[in-house]
Amino acid sequence: MEAMTSLPLMTLMQLLFDTLLGFALLWLGWRALASPDLFQAIVLFIAFGLLMAIVWVRLDAPDVALAEAAIGAGLTGALLLTTLARLEAKNRSKSALEKKHKVWLMTENVKLKTASFLWLMVILMLLVSGLVYAVLTLQEQTFELQMLVSKNLESSGVSNPVTAVLLNFRGYDTLLEMSVLLLALLGVWSFGGIPKPHESLPGPVLNMLSRLLIPLLIIVAGYFLWVGSDAPGGAFQGGSVLGAAGVLLLLVGWRLCIRFVGLPLRIILVFGLGVFVSAAVVLIFLGRQFMEYPPSVAGALILLIEAAATLSIGITLAALFLVGRPEFRRHK
Amino acid sequence: MSLNALLPLLMVLSSLLVGLIIFFLPEERAGIRIALNLAAAVLKLILVGVMSWGVFFYGLEYEFRMPLLHSQELILHADALSILFVTLSTILWLVTTVYAIGYLEDSPHRSRFFGFFSLCVMATVGVAMAGNMITFLLFYELLTLTTYPLIVHRGTEEARRAGRTYLIYTMTGGVLILTGTVWLHAIAGSLDFSYGGFVSDLVDEHRTALIAIFVLLIAGLGVKAALVPFHGWLPQAMIAPAPVSALLHAVAVVKAGAFGIVRVVDDVYGVEVAANLGVTGPLAVLAGVTIIYGSIRALFQDDLKRRLAFSTISQVSYIVLGIAIAGPLATIGGLVHLVHQGVMKITLFFCAGNLAETLGIHKISEMNGVGRRMPWTMTAFTIGAFGMIGVPPLAGFVSKWYLGLGALEVGQEWVIYVLAGSSLLNAAYFLPILYAAWFKLPTDSWPDERAFGSGETAWTLLLPAVITAFLTLAVGLLASMPFSPLHWARFITTLEYLP
Amino acid sequence: MNTLYLYTIVGVGLFTLGLYALLIHSDLLRKILAINIMGSGVFLILVALAARTQGAVPDPVPHAMVITGIVVAVSATALALALVIRVRTKVGHANLPEQSLE
Amino acid sequence: MLLSEFFTVILLLAGAFFFLAGTVGLLRFPDVYTRLHALTKADNVGLGLMVLGLALQAESWAMTGKLILIWLCVLLSSASVAHLIANAARKKGIEPWKQ
Amino acid sequence: MHTSERKKCFKLIPYDSLISILWTGCLRAMLFALTWFLLTDGVMDSWLIGGPVVLLATIASIVLLPPFSWSFIGIMRIVPVFLWRSLYAGIDVARRALHPRLPISPGLYQYRWRLPPGVPQIFMANMVSLLPGTLSAELADEYLCVHVLDQTGDFISELSIIEDYVARLFALNLIADRS
Amino acid sequence: MEIFYLSIAFFLLLTLLAGLWRVLRGPTAADRMLAAQLFGTTAVACVLLLAQAFERPVLRDVALIFALLAAVTAIAFVRRAWASGEHSDAAK
Amino acid sequence: MLSFLLPQRVKLLGLLIAAGVVAAVAALGWQVAELGAQRYAIGGWGAPLGIDLYADGLSLLMLMVNAVVCLGVSVYSTGYFNRAYFRRSRAIYFWPLWMFLWAALNALFLSSDIFNLYVTLELLGLSAVALVALAGGADALTSAMRYLLINLLGSLFYLLGVALLYHRFGSLDITILSQHIEPSPAVWVAMGLMTSGLLLKTALFPMHFWLPAAHASAPAPVSALLSALVVKASFYIFLRLWLEIFPVDSSVFGELLGVLGAIAIFWGGVQALRQTRLKMLIAYSTVAQLGYLFLAFPMASYFAWKGALFILLSHALAKTAMFMAAGNILHFGGHDRIQDFDHVVQYQPLTSAAFALAGISIMGLPPSGGFIGKWLLLEAAINSGQWWLVIIIIMGGLLAAAYIFKVIGYAFTQSRKSHQTRRVPIRMEWTALILAIAAILLGLIAPWPLAIMDIGLPFSGEAAG
């Protein structure tokens, strides 16, 4: 980028591009939140996710872009659409209720009184101006931490700094974050089993598509897992690709999971976290700190943890997509 | 921890433990309950005996300390004043326990009642033995909490209302004291009671604050002591069972308030400092007003217990008056009245309870000729009433005498008029009762008569009344003997005025 | 200063936009969208600021933070969506009763 | 300018043209089915041309392979998705637009 | 419903020929390995992960998509045709879209299969969508419902030509008669 | 050359935004979905161009993910959101 | 420290883990008490790069009360989730969710990294939401939904603040930040954002609207946890940030917080008094009690912090006991309408006792923990001459007394048992009682927690002696 900036035309072009992208983002966000139709809002949101990924690319954050593309654009969209479908299915089955809440699909702007609306506006304006002011007056970046990261990159076992931060330097965050994911699943399950949507058999084309895509997705997931150690990628990206594969299977109507929905599924779900924690704890017994990976084996260890994590994250995401607990009794 | 330190703690703990145990006794285990209660009361009596012996003859310090806050400790200690109060409560407690056992026979929730009853003793003993303001406050609030269930014990709508009133008054009072105490702590840094007070050094610097604190504390304590603007709860609390009323009036709540005022004036501020601050005068006036007001109100009550209640309002203020006059003799009078009023008033309440329980009499207008039906009870009542009026040589006379002397000593003659007027009023509201009871002809039937074997009523009800009546006589007659309340009061006063 | 600051401001805008929508809409699904957009705004600020020095390699720590944030967000979204469905089943509509935030 | 760069420019411009055409089709065509035509065909050609153009600049064979892989994926998905949507639209009873 | 669904999922697995499974498996594994190679730019270490992943993908692929017969020459023949036709399709649709008068006359047409059901039909259906003026809208065992952009054009012969190519790709003989 | 790539990307972004009009107009849900689909393809191209423009080959992986996952959303739409019956605006 | 999860979701396991965590906390407590504040670098990287765990008196105390309350809740839940009408399928999820919540709390109290705190906050929030929704009713779900949104919103505000702080100072560690901190627009805005986010979660007055419904409709042990600990967690973070990071000379802001706290005390108290259902009453009482915590800010003195903290501790214990008692009553009589309590309360003496004792602490009567806290606050207020605070504290206590005795009064009313009652497992009653007693005893052993607060000198900046 250094070389490019010398070209004023390039800078201008960048500026144009950035402005367009920025306005597009804002506009999409606004429309997604204000459009009268929920479905439309969701589609706009998916588009928003796509643009976000491009923004990450533009901001030179490929790791984030990957995660956003996989999780944000792909899975969240599918999840939202499915939820919408569920909601509407319920809507239809209760015609009396539908009448009562006929307008629920419409934008239901709570009728704000002008005064409170003005207040809200004032507060929001204050927020915006404060934030912008704060951001614009930020001092020059401090590079201490970044230096530290690159200095210690050697001993972290991986060469991608983001992965190093995620899994080694700040591995504890990641550990907790995986707990969040697992927790979300638990929470979803605790809401009780949700009846399977009534769905028709997949057509042959869809069937074929999924059959072709899934092996490919598996490979790509593996690729991200592997590439994470020295290039953008890693367990989350891989996991979400794997999750996408699972979602695809679920969408096509694949119900093999009934067979191992009990203990085996749960073991896989906690597998990633389990490996993570055990690795960390075992290190304590070896006389090191919690999560202090010896530099010599750090790379392998991280890869191991990431592999387990990928698997768990993938399955967890796919399970989350069910938006409900798979029934337990079936396999008895 | 030495044995000496243990004794005060033991005083408190004995009731606490007994109370807790009683909570978990099934309703039917009356025997164990009674035994426990009595045992605790007797144990206390013994402890008090030991301690008073030690304090009087050897000047021993019975003190238990436990850290409570950064610079504050929980202190239980036995000085002369606390021994006075503790002795009173312990003896009367024993008696009341006996009475309550008889009174509450066969009524529901006795475990609960006696449990709280014991806790109430615990709180009172704690109040008596508190060695600093914070400990005092602690037990003072506990007292509020433990008496509340006793007041609402009957569980009727009326009882709940009375309980609510009680709480509103006492809670408010409690927070006033709390504020005062914290403020005091903030200024003085210490809260430990000591003879002659501990704030004398601060008078110059914090005069206004000290006056404000004094007002706060007295107002708070005045609620329990039922000083005039704060007395509203007391007549309502009459709804409680008779033993509870007896306690509230004679020993626990009202007395704790009065006792607290004594503590504040004597051991926090010191009489001289208080007088110097100019706060005792208004207090004395307030007490005087209360005395007269209570007596006048009593005059117009037909309900026997209500009349007694207003009488209490009036009588307790004698104590406050005695302290507020701020002279040695008046102090003696006030202190001794602390005891005397307790003994007399409890007698009266026992008798009222007996009448209600045996014959269903609640109103004075129903009492015609009751003396013939229940001669023992009415004898006791008569003794108590005469004591109240201040007929020599009964207990009340002694206190009033010293109060009068004390007032003259510091040149506050108006007190004499208050005393005289009050005595007249006392006579005016007690004598008609006595006249009706002894000399009027009984009606055909009593409102709700119950048979108690051969005697006029159950012995557990009668005995306590008789004992306390006897005590009323005794403390009056034997006032000059060693270990009499008067003797103790003198002893205390010397200590207070010595430094 | 470089053009990437633009994105910071966009992030601020998104954050505010989401907040506004979150407050005025009663439909739950839309509220969830709003939260997500707010989140995107925050992430954008985080990453855009990380690249604010011209020509330097962006700071990887915020990137890691954002990835963590995205995973947290997706978890929360999934939970929220499941909850919406439950609310709808039980209550009959997917709105929150009017609430006054201001 | 190198020859390869020249070709790249041509190919990219052509690709962009097809994207434009696809979008115009999406906007102008009257119903779902016709719009699907525009989408699948024009965009895939556009992407194909772009991939080709970029592949000329690729530094390794693997990179080229990856680009082609991406294209194939898009091809597969968009063809299948077009079919699925058309199919679903038919099941919904949406009639094709007639002149 | 579940059991029937599951049966449908697995009914395509031919249990008769283990060898064909192995052969196909090897081929696909190679294909996947190639993909892996492309993705990772041929770094040797990557096979540590790549090996298991390729294996897993192969197994998934075999389970999901049973082997079918095909011919290499068929592929070679179809690829250039397909590329050309799809380029033409793009030009065609771009022309129609950008033309000021929007020259289209869409309609549905049911094309009777000569291909047997299964993978070939699906392949064909997908291809049709990328060919000029046609879009597969419904796939049934007997016919393929095609949405055409211009009813006036000769799309039927185009379809049948492509069908021939597909048949050759899968090493099949077409049903001679398509009445 | 970079400027050229960037301009093309800019142009693609413009077409993408133009496509948004379809999302807003509908009329059927399928139309909106279609537009989203178009975005997916356009975004792939866009990211590829950016990868080239900034000489960050790793960004191609982003494009790969787009390419792979674009189908997932559409399938979810077809299988769930739309398959489950009448959408409110399908009747329009 | 992290109790991680096995798929076998059995009560026994839950209890074992509970015991294990308590033991761990005890061990840590010993360590901290002996050796002073502890710092543990996860992964051995040390603060700017890695994440540090930090345990000083403040966090130790939070951990301890956490351990006590959580142990209590665990025991209580073994009874609560046994109930016949509680579907087993729901009950089995309680334990893992609960363990997550607990782990999140522990992690939160130990963390010294502001981003790590964000993650723990989310972990906490999500598990709390799931637990609220466990009750399954329409009310519970709606309030869980609102709670979730509030949580996410609060977290985002917080995260944005973290972003600004990070970009200003290039570090996420609290200690390092506190060394570098200096006022600048970014810091002020970050402070505003984080404060509003955390206060939203802490449900300070104008932002309390979500709390009563969520706390009242959750299952009893969950309500207990939410009121006792979860809101305190965000307060804890806020306190940490306030004490260590934010510029200290923000007295206007402190005043504002104090005023809000004061309004909260009144508003919560009045609302509690108006409630007809017990759990709502208790929930509003929480709003009021949270107000006390903020009274310390305008004073910002050594005693004030300690007082607020002490109130926090005793409130945690007392409120847990209260919600448990409410749960027992609800279970026993099938309803929690206050006006029909006479049929219910007096047949559960233990529960009533628990409620009453907890009430004593809430009212701030001696010798309870609440009293000590109130005492310290009062003293701080008097020392700093802020009399309006004194009045607030006093009035708040009276209000509390009013609403608590509104309930207790019924315990002494004579009435017949209503016919539809169910037996309450005895351990549920005992747990409530023991926790209530603990709240009282806290007042008697006050010097001990007060001494712990001094470890690591979290209040050293203001230490006046």
Side-chain angles (χ1 to χ4, degrees), chain B residues 132-147:
Chain B
N132 58 8
M133 259 328 268
I134 197 167
T135 318
F136 178 83
L137 184 64
L138 194 158
F139 285 106
Y140 189 82
E141 292 286 3
L142 269 184
L143 188 60
T144 310
L145 293 174
T146 49
T147 43

Side-chain angles (χ1 to χ4, degrees), chain C residues 15 19 22 28 31 35 38-39 45-46 49-50 52 59 61-62 65 72 76 80 83 86 90 96-97 99 101, chain G residues 90 115 118 122 126 129 133 136 138 141-142 144-146 148-149 152-153 156-157 159-160 163 166-167 172 209:
Chain C
F15 184 79
L19 180 61
L22 180 69
L28 286 177
K31 274 180 187 290
I35 287 270
M38 273 180 86
I45 294 174
L46 255 174
L49 286 180
R52 71 177 186 270
D59 188 355
V61 178
M65 278 156 68
V72 169
L83 198 52
R86 286 293 294 167
K90 278 271 177 184
L96 277 187
Q99 56 181 14
L101 234 164
Chain G
R90 289 276 171 72
F115 185 74
Y118 161 76
E122 289 283 14
L126 294 190
V129 168
L141 289 172
T142 315
M145 192 69 227
R146 179 168 299 166
L148 175 62
L149 290 173
L152 294 177
L153 183 64
L156 283 178
F157 266 90
L159 184 62
L160 191 51
Y166 175 77
H167 283 301
L172 291 166
F209 56 90

Side-chain angles (χ1 to χ4, degrees), chain A residues 10 20-21 24 27 39-40 46-47 50 53 57 60 82 85 88 92 199-200 206 220 223-224 244 248 251, chain F residues 3 10 13 17 20 23-24 29 32 39 56 59 61-62 65-66 68-69 73 75-77 79-81 84 87:
Chain A
M10 183 71 186
L20 181 67
L21 200 51
W27 187 71
F39 179 80
Q40 187 182 335
I46 294 170
L50 283 174
V57 168
D60 209 1
T82 309
E88 282 184 36
R92 221 177 33 255
E199 56 185 20
S200 52
L206 176 55
V220 172
Y223 164 65
F224 281 128
L248 204 56
L251 278 173
Chain F
I3 299 173
F10 181 72
L13 205 57
L17 289 178
L20 275 178
V23 179
L24 296 181
R32 304 180 204 284
F39 296 166
R56 292 296 300 263
L59 293 180
D61 292 342
V62 180
I65 289 205
F66 275 151
L68 281 170
L69 297 190
T73 322
I75 293 172
F77 163 71
R79 295 287 295 162
R80 295 280 160 84
S84 61
H87 186 261

Side-chain angles (χ1 to χ4, degrees), chain B residues 18-34 36 107-115, chain G residues 349:
Chain B
V18 167
L20 291 181
I21 294 170
I22 287 176
F23 274 125
F24 293 103
L25 281 180
E27 210 50 26
E28 307 79 45
R29 308 295 295 274
I32 296 182
R33 197 160 55 223
I34 292 170
L36 273 172
S107 68
H109 303 305
R110 273 169 303 167
S111 279
R112 190 179 79 193
F113 181 86
F114 281 104

Side-chain angles (χ1 to χ4, degrees), chain B residues 24 66-70 109 112 138 141 145 148-149 152 154-155 160 167 171 175 178-179 181-183 185-186 191, chain G residues 303 350 360 365-367 371-372 375-376 378-379 382-383 387 390 394 405 409-414 443-444 446-447:
Chain B
F24 293 103
M66 191 181 100
L68 190 65
L69 264 173
H70 42 100
H109 303 305
R112 190 179 79 193
L138 194 158
E141 292 286 3
L145 293 174
Y148 170 78
V152 297
R154 284 195 205 278
R160 278 188 46 210
L167 278 180
M171 285 288 176
V175 296
L178 175 64
T179 319
T181 311
V182 177
W183 196 355
H185 184 232
L191 290 172
Chain G
F303 285 135
L350 289 179
I360 289 176
L365 292 182
F371 167 73
I372 304 286
W375 173 284
L376 289 168
L378 269 177
E379 193 167 338
I382 289 174
N383 273 333
W387 286 97
V390 176
I394 296 295
F405 273 103
Y410 286 98
F412 299 102
T413 321
Q414 311 280 6
L444 291 175

Side-chain angles (χ1 to χ4, degrees), chain A residues 196-202 204-212 214-216 218-227 242 249 252-256 258-259 303 307 330, chain E residues 1-2 5-6 8-10 12 31-33 35-36 39-40 43 45-50 53-54 56-58 60-61 63-66 118-119 122-123 125-126 136 139:
Chain A
K196 257 175 13 76
H198 185 76
E199 56 185 20
S200 52
L201 287 175
V205 174
L206 176 55
N207 218 336
M208 177 62 70
L209 175 66
S210 64
R211 279 147 204 257
L212 286 175
I214 283 165
L216 210 53
I218 293 176
I219 290 202
V220 172
Y223 164 65
F224 281 128
L225 166 62
W226 180 81
V227 86
L242 204 58
L249 279 176
V252 174
W254 189 70
R255 287 290 176 272
L256 186 64
I258 290 157
R259 247 195 240 160
L303 204 57
R330 199 171 290 281
Chain E
M1 161 159 181
H2 276 278
E5 217 171 76
R6 200 182 304 165
K8 188 158 173 94
C9 286
F10 293 106
L12 293 170
L31 195 64
F32 291 137
T35 315
W36 182 263
L39 286 174
T40 58
V43 179
D45 287 352
S46 75
W47 292 102
L48 188 69
I49 293 287
V53 167
V54 166
L56 200 66
T58 312
S61 150
V63 168
L64 290 169
L65 191 67
V119 183
I122 299 166
F123 187 84
N126 274 341
S136 67
L139 196 160

